[in-house]
Amino acid sequence: MLKIGISSCFMYPDPSRLVFGPKNLAYVESDMFRYVAQEGVLPVLIPDLPFDKLVEILTELDGFVFQGGTDLSPQTYGEEPIQAGKWLGDPYRDKYEMAIMDFAVRQKKPVLAICRGIQLLNVYFGGTLYQDIATQVPQSIIHRNAAKYDSLTHQITFAKNETLDIIYKGIENPMVNSVHHQGIKTLGKGLKILARCSEDGMIEAVEANMAPNRNIIGVQWHPEFSVGKGKPLLDPLKLYSYFIEKVKNQ
């Protein structure tokens, strides 16, 4: 059985929280577990441990999924917050996930990076982010609506003859959900663009073109939220199957 590691989301001590109020929590959103746990795949939530202990676990994993969640800290990509007290991100989680990403890249393990994950991937390769798209790119469309959440959608355009164009060959007007207020500003070194938002050009998917067999891919949307929803959204299992084939063939 293949073992796919999923990076944890974190919640920190909060006295107002009735359950585990004073404790740190590491968790995964349930749709992500269901998405990863396809036939023959064991999803493994990667714990928050000192790296000398964590590396023993990482070594046993066949591939890595980086899930969505809180913003990256601007300091992680060498910037200061553009507005005092806003979009400060989660530097603790950044450090935890950067160590996992570094392990995966150095060990040539396949990676599927989702939403925050693609942003982390971009920063790992030296890129930067828009801290808030609406503020910094006022001509952009709305990419996040808290009430609509993953029912907010938009069209994307694939880079011709690149990985997503090949995976979804023949799909006209591909649609994805949109649940992010941050996005890629400067592209990381060694990454290539696979898709953009058709309406405003925001980067929606990338891959590491230096990776063996192109086994590192990131998407800005949440494929795990689209399972079973059908058209017009892209079939999320086609993307996952591509990733799993990379895991099997590494």
Side-chain angles (χ1 to χ4, degrees):
M1 179 171 279
L2 298 174
K3 297 182 288 294
I4 302 299
I6 305 173
S7 63
S8 294
C9 296
F10 296 142
M11 293 179 70
Y12 303 106
D14 180 358
S16 68
R17 191 171 64 229
L18 295 179
V19 179
F20 296 123
K23 298 296 184 181
N24 289 300
L25 305 180
Y27 67 95
V28 60
E29 192 277 327
S30 294
D31 285 334
M32 179 62 78
F33 260 152
R34 286 189 286 268
Y35 184 54
V36 174
Q38 302 299 320
E39 184 176 357
V41 178
L42 173 67
V44 178
L45 186 63
I46 301 172
D48 176 23
L49 296 172
F51 191 74
D52 60 338
K53 293 184 177 180
L54 186 60
V55 71
E56 297 179 15
I57 297 171
L58 300 181
T59 301
E60 297 297 318
L61 301 175
D62 300 303
F64 295 87
V65 173
F66 291 83
Q67 63 172 324
T70 53
D71 296 340
L72 271 76
S73 168
Q75 282 87 358
T76 300
Y77 46 94
E79 293 187 4
E80 294 298 321
I82 59 172
Q83 288 190 24
K86 297 190 74 172
W87 313 307
L88 302 181
D90 187 344
Y92 184 87
R93 183 177 169 186
D94 295 352
K95 184 177 179 181
Y96 154 84
E97 285 190 309
M98 281 293 187
I100 299 170
M101 183 70 76
D102 186 62
F103 177 90
V105 171
R106 290 179 183 277
Q107 297 300 315
K108 301 179 174 60
K109 296 290 186 179
V111 167
L112 174 58
I114 293 172
C115 197
R116 170 190 160 95
I118 189 178
Q119 297 168 12
L120 181 90
L121 176 66
N122 187 62
V123 171
Y124 175 81
F125 281 102
T128 62
L129 305 177
Y130 291 113
Q131 295 181 33
D132 183 65
I133 294 171
T135 300
Q136 294 178 276
V137 193
Q139 71 274 20
S140 68
I141 65 169
I142 296 173
H143 283 271
R144 187 180 192 280
N145 180 297
K148 291 184 176 181
Y149 207 66
D150 57 315
S151 65
L152 180 67
T153 62
H154 63 70
Q155 185 178 326
I156 61 174
T157 302
F158 299 138
K160 293 295 184 185
N161 301 318
E162 298 291 353
T163 298
L164 287 179
D165 192 38
I166 294 168
I167 293 172
Y168 292 105
K169 188 174 182 179
I171 299 291
E172 295 183 2
N173 306 319
M175 299 289 292
V176 296
N177 58 43
S178 189
V179 197
H180 64 105
H181 81 101
Q182 299 196 326
I184 293 175
K185 182 168 64 174
T186 56
L187 187 66
K189 202 170 178 181
L191 296 179
K192 68 163 59 174
I193 298 170
L194 300 182
R196 290 182 180 271
C197 174
S198 301
E199 296 172 75
D200 61 18
M202 293 295 299
I203 296 172
E204 289 283 331
V206 301
E207 71 178 355
N209 57 23
M210 41 63 69
N213 302 315
R214 296 181 177 177
N215 65 358
I216 298 176
I217 191 167
V219 297
Q220 186 58 75
W221 64 92
H222 283 266
E224 74 277 18
F225 293 166
S226 299
V227 176
K229 292 191 175 179
K231 295 181 179 179
L233 296 174
L234 286 178
D235 181 351
L237 295 180
K238 282 190 175 183
L239 175 63
Y240 188 65
S241 294
Y242 170 85
F243 166 67
I244 290 299
E245 282 303 308
K246 294 299 181 184
V247 175
K248 290 178 179 177
N249 295 328
Q250 65 179 308

